[in-house]
Amino acid sequence: MNEKIARLLNEQINKEFYSAYLYLDMANFYDEMDLDGYKNYYMIQAQEERDHALLFMEYMQTIGLKVTLEAIGKPDKTFQTILDPLEVAAEHERYVTALINAIYHEAYEDRDYRTMKFLDWFIDEQREEEDNADKMVNRYKLFGTDAKGLYMLDQEYAGRVYAAPSLTL
Ligand code: MG
């Protein structure tokens, strides 16, 4: 296996755990504001990111690559307004898409078909993540600046339930 692809896969485990950490930080921010729906949304988002990390780890295991777990960075974003985490999340998901695309590019160049196939799920997932994150921003801007609108959005996000990833290895 191409060393660069192996390194990028291993790094992605860390990036996904960092994403989980970032979303937990957002959940704490909303908890302090008693916006329990937004908190719930990001608690579940964090679980999904942990799942992503484990999928990368398990993929490496199944193809006999050594996994090296590194320190997870401290979430370093500061949030002042209700909108801030939503915008940070949207920006962060675009960054993650770029990371996935970069691994895909290396796999493509190396004709590493099984890594490309593994990453296909993440390509779809990132489309969905960006779409969801952009909706969180736009719906807040449309409805959230009104107290009743914010209450209804918060109620809606309280209904989000965790679902295990559709990808199994
Ligand atoms: Mg992810």
Side-chain angles (χ1 to χ4, degrees):
M1 154 73 93
N2 175 315
E3 295 247 322
K4 186 171 182 188
I5 298 172
R7 181 174 54 77
L8 291 174
L9 289 170
N10 195 79
E11 282 174 10
Q12 195 62 29
I13 299 172
N14 189 271
K15 306 278 188 189
E16 300 290 345
F17 274 123
Y18 174 80
S19 298
Y21 239 37
L22 181 63
Y23 289 128
L24 286 177
D25 203 36
M26 293 177 184
N28 285 325
F29 174 76
Y30 289 121
D31 176 74
E32 283 169 28
M33 303 182 95
D34 287 331
L35 285 169
D36 289 348
Y38 279 92
K39 170 191 167 179
N40 175 62
Y41 188 95
Y42 286 109
M43 290 294 289
I44 289 169
Q45 194 60 34
Q47 277 180 283
E48 282 198 357
E49 299 305 340
R50 177 186 169 278
D51 289 339
H52 296 166
L54 294 182
L55 284 167
F56 275 94
M57 193 175 89
E58 284 163 24
Y59 176 65
M60 290 183 72
Q61 291 170 345
T62 61
I63 59 170
L65 288 176
K66 181 176 162 50
V67 174
T68 307
L69 296 178
E70 303 288 352
I72 302 165
K74 181 180 173 176
D76 55 353
K77 313 283 190 224
T78 47
F79 312 124
Q80 307 284 345
T81 68
I82 297 168
L83 181 60
D84 287 344
L86 310 179
E87 290 187 324
V88 167
E91 188 189 335
H92 183 71
E93 286 304 332
R94 277 188 277 281
Y95 164 68
V96 174
T97 298
L99 295 173
I100 301 287
N101 287 348
I103 309 172
Y104 201 101
H105 179 77
E106 288 302 321
Y108 173 82
E109 291 285 304
D110 201 51
R111 299 187 188 189
D112 178 353
Y113 302 115
R114 64 185 180 185
T115 298
M116 287 163 67
K117 191 161 188 300
F118 165 69
L119 289 174
D120 280 342
W121 185 87
F122 284 92
I123 300 280
D124 279 345
E125 178 71 8
Q126 283 311 120
R127 174 182 49 73
E128 210 176 295
E129 297 283 33
E130 283 189 38
D131 186 42
N132 290 338
D134 286 341
K135 272 188 190 147
M136 297 286 288
V137 171
N138 290 331
R139 297 179 85 225
Y140 175 78
K141 286 180 178 170
L142 278 170
F143 313 120
T145 49
D146 165 82
K148 289 195 188 82
L150 178 62
Y151 179 77
M152 293 194 71
L153 282 178
D154 194 58
Q155 290 285 103
E156 185 183 323
Y157 296 136
R160 184 181 185 188
V161 290
Y162 170 74
S166 57
L167 177 65
T168 48
L169 294 171

